[in-house]
Amino acid sequence: MVAKVWFMGGDRVAMSEAEAASALRWWLESGVDTLVQEEPRNWLEQRAPAPVPTEVAVEPAPPPRLPADLLTFRSWMTGAEAPLGTTRSKPIAPNGDEAAEIMLLSELPGRDDAAAGQPIGGEAWELAKRMLGAIGLEPAQAYVANLGCFYAPGAKLSAADLAACAAAARQHVALARPKRLLLLGDGPAKALLGKLTLEARGHVHTVEGVRTVATFHPRFLLKHPSQKAQAWSDLLLLMEDQK
């Protein structure tokens, strides 16, 4: 018996029943066991390439609008929407008065700071008070804040975190309006000056129109007392223009 079989290209070919059965088994083994279209298709036909989808530019989300007065800003800095803000970490509120003689902008809060509930706590704060006293200032004359006002053990700043903290810190300085700004540690120096403490110290900088000097954090000085002489030089440099 001879069977007539139509192949995919549309050609009709005569073959024996055994040949037709063999071809059908091959199709079934290949997974071709259902009809995929009603009409035959010319598989050699040249088709136009599918159009390449046009890329749509996505505008980056605008940065959050920061509060425009100091009282609101201080509340915002300890809220969940602030840089590094989280409901699981302990917020450390800034303290001090607007237009203070000096603003101390410290690293992210540590364990001692969280325990004391202030931007610089424990032995580091005792040393900070002695540093202020050495330049003729009382603790009450200082406005003290952290770069990011949340204590999060083991937290590390990503590039995005650092940029967000830097924008907030600049706004903080602008609203607090201190006469001088002392950056304590690598975090504030990197955020506001783009340099680590070792590179930034020994020079006068300007942040939001405020005379600024970077130096070592009191925590660092407690572990490396040999660096206190350099910190003293930085304090003198900060106060150099005092009338």
Side-chain angles (χ1 to χ4, degrees):
M1 179 178 179
V2 177
K4 294 182 179 179
V5 179
W6 280 262
F7 285 90
M8 290 183 182
D11 297 328
R12 185 169 61 180
V13 178
M15 62 173 62
S16 69
E17 185 175 351
E19 291 173 329
S22 176
L24 287 172
R25 281 197 303 274
W26 184 87
W27 283 341
L28 289 171
E29 289 170 359
S30 300
V32 186
D33 58 351
T34 58
L35 185 66
V36 294
Q37 60 186 44
E38 294 292 339
E39 300 296 330
R41 176 178 175 182
N42 182 0
W43 294 92
L44 300 180
E45 178 185 0
Q46 296 294 324
R47 294 174 177 264
V52 178
T54 304
E55 292 187 5
V56 178
V58 178
E59 292 290 335
R65 180 172 295 181
L66 300 175
D69 66 88
L70 185 59
L71 184 62
T72 306
F73 184 90
R74 286 170 59 135
S75 176
W76 174 82
M77 274 297 287
T78 55
E81 295 182 2
L84 313 183
T86 167
T87 56
R88 297 190 302 274
S89 298
K90 184 174 181 178
I92 310 294
N95 61 50
D97 297 324
E98 188 176 343
E101 288 293 328
I102 188 171
M103 178 175 180
L104 307 182
L105 186 61
S106 175
E107 289 273 16
L108 301 181
R111 188 188 307 274
D112 289 344
D113 311 326
Q118 58 189 49
I120 307 174
E123 291 183 59
W125 177 235
E126 294 304 315
L127 179 54
K129 289 193 291 185
R130 293 198 295 273
M131 292 168 70
L132 290 172
I135 53 177
L137 297 176
E138 298 290 333
Q141 293 176 282
Y143 184 97
V144 191
N146 298 106
L147 178 63
C149 295
F150 281 82
Y151 169 57
K156 294 183 179 179
L157 290 178
S158 66
D161 291 336
L162 189 65
C165 286
R170 289 188 176 279
Q171 179 74 343
H172 203 168
V173 173
L175 295 176
R177 300 185 301 107
K179 294 189 172 86
R180 293 170 184 79
L181 174 62
L182 186 63
L183 305 180
L184 298 173
D186 284 339
K190 186 69 174 176
L192 295 181
L193 305 178
K195 301 176 181 180
L196 298 178
T197 306
L198 281 174
E199 302 173 282
R201 64 159 302 276
H203 305 279
V204 175
H205 307 272
T206 302
V207 174
E208 297 299 313
V210 179
R211 182 183 179 92
T212 302
V213 167
T215 195
F216 305 107
H217 194 283
R219 281 197 298 262
F220 177 87
L221 294 176
L222 289 170
K223 295 178 181 179
H224 304 88
S226 62
Q227 302 299 317
K228 287 182 179 179
Q230 293 191 60
W232 172 238
S233 299
D234 296 331
L235 292 173
L236 292 177
L237 182 61
L238 182 64
M239 304 302 290
E240 206 170 65
D241 67 337
Q242 187 176 28
K243 302 300 182 184

